[in-house]
């Protein structure tokens, strides 16, 4: 942990008394630790103790003695932010973007990965609202360090105890180890649909949301990889400091950006749902309704994956996707060969919960060497992790 910058943010829970122990463990391991508290947390653990241990100020209020606490600087300073203890109230506010104290404004302005260690009483932990809020935070790409079973502040025994300082410390170590696995590597990821313009008000598009590709970009970034995300029109966006996003609209624009970026990349994952055809001509004025039916003349777009397959060097890893509704394996294997990819990730429209707009996906990966791996239905975040593990395996 030498030189790593850890920001610990504690909210109001009795478990805050464990934070000085965690701070000591991190500092002994060589980390630079800063702590921010909610006003409520400062009643459970002394800012003076924490500032003495960390040798940094421990801000609690947005402004103190006419000085504004710079939440943006704190959020950008950290390599990782650990919210511990994360109370039910703070979790709910984080999930919904509320910002009525310093901790929340630091969280909302942070650009680093976020780990969350909940602490609360059992009934609050099991409440559907809390579980839904935790799911929302996972969907933002944050990691939850699960609460544990044990004695609670209420005197009851049950779920909701914050993980022990040693567990939190070990999670931080794992986080830093994992975040190094692909450091020094660069990856190009395409995601989302493309829109092919017909006239000023119409386009040909598809239902892709970009969820899968964004999850892959984030999973690669978490491993320390520098990611260039080429993203089609979608309301979703990626959030990680290692990701640079280029927004495009059409297949031609995606081709131009990918052709420019690919030669310097180690890895390329083409998960975008690229239009195979685009209108022959784009009308500069709105096309008027006719009395009779019309046929739209379309021309083929360039297959970006196939194009990259022709210029790929031996030390580059090229992964494609295949979305199929029938003869899935045969079509996936055909794409693997025709497009000179190293692996094809197949998702079938016949699997319930897989495909566009779902939060889940079910994939199989076919490799050039004949190996195939089949996975269960999982959240797209977990599927992205599986794909990245496969990439690490293929990189050797
Ligand atoms: N792809 C691409 N450029 C295109 C079309 C597809 O890069 N113009 C890529 C996709 O990003 C994906 C793979 O090719 O990685 C397969 O895409 P898919 O839509 O499943 O198949 P197609 O090759 O378009 O063939 P078909 O639509 O006939 O299944």
């Amino acid at each position: 942990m030498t030189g790593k910058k850890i920001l610990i943010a504690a909210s109001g829970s009795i478990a805050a008394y464990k934070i000085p122990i965690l701070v000591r463990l991190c500092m002994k391991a060589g980390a630079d630790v800063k702590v921010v508290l909610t006003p409520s947390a400062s009643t459970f653990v002394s800012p003076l103790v924490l500032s003495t241990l960390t040798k940094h100020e421990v801000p609690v209020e947005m402004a103190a003695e006419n000085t504004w606490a710079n939440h943006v600087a704190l959020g950008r300073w950290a390599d990782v932010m650990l919210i511990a203890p994360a109370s039910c109230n703070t979790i709910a506010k984080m999930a919904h973007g509320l910002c009525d104290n310093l901790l929340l404004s630091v969280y909302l302005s942070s650009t680093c990965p976020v780990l969350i260690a909940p602490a609360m009483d059992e009934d609050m932990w099991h409440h559907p609202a809390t579980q839904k809020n935790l799911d929302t935070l996972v969907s933002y790409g944050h990691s939850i360090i699960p609460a544990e079973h044990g004695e609670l502040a209420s005197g009851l025994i049950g779920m909701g105890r914050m993980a022990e300082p040693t567990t939190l410390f070990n999670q931080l170590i794992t986080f830093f180890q994992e975040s190094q696995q692909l450091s020094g590597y660069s990856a190009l990821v395409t995601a989302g649909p493309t829109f092919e313009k017909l006239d000023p008000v119409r386009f040909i598009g598809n239902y892709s949301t970009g969820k899968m590709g964004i999850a892959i970009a984030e999973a690669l970034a978490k491993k320390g990889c520098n990611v260039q995300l080429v993203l089609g029109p979608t309301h979703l966006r990626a959030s990680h400091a290692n990701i640079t996003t280029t927004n495009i609209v059409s297949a031609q624009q995606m081709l131009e950006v990918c052709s420019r970026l690919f030669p310097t990349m180690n890895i390329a994952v083409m998960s975008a749902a690229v239009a195979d055809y685009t209108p022959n001509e784009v009308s500069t004025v709105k096309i008027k309704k006719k009395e009779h039916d019309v046929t739209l003349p379309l021309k083929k777009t360039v297959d970006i994956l196939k194009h990259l397959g022709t210029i790929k060097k031996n030390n580059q890893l090229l992964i494609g996707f295949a979305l199929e509704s029938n003869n899935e394996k045969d079509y996936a294997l055909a794409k693997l060969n025709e497009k000179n990819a190293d692996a094809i990730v197949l998702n079938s429209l016949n699997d319930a919960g897989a495909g566009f707009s779902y939060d889940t996906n079910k994939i199989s990966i076919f490799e050039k060497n004949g190996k195939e791996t089949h996975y269960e239905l999982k959240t797209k975040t977990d599927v992205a992790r599986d794909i990245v593990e496969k990439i690490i395996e293929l990189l050797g």
Side-chain angles (χ1 to χ4, degrees), residues 190 251 270-276 301-306 319-324 335 339 344:
T190 64
M270 314 306 283
S271 66
V274 189
D276 291 329
T301 58
V302 174
D303 188 315
I304 305 169
L305 173 62
K306 194 170 176 180
I319 315 283
F321 267 69
L323 177 63
E324 307 294 347
K335 284 175 188 170
K339 304 195 188 200
I344 286 280

Side-chain angles (χ1 to χ4, degrees), residues 24-43:
R24 286 278 294 149
L25 288 169
C26 295
M27 294 203 51
K28 271 191 174 169
D32 189 3
V33 182
K34 289 188 182 180
V35 179
V36 56
L37 301 176
T38 61
S40 165
S42 69
T43 62

Side-chain angles (χ1 to χ4, degrees), residues 259-275:
S259 304
R260 175 167 53 80
L261 294 172
F262 182 64
T264 57
M265 297 286 137
N266 305 109
I267 305 157
V269 185
M270 314 306 283
S271 66
V274 189

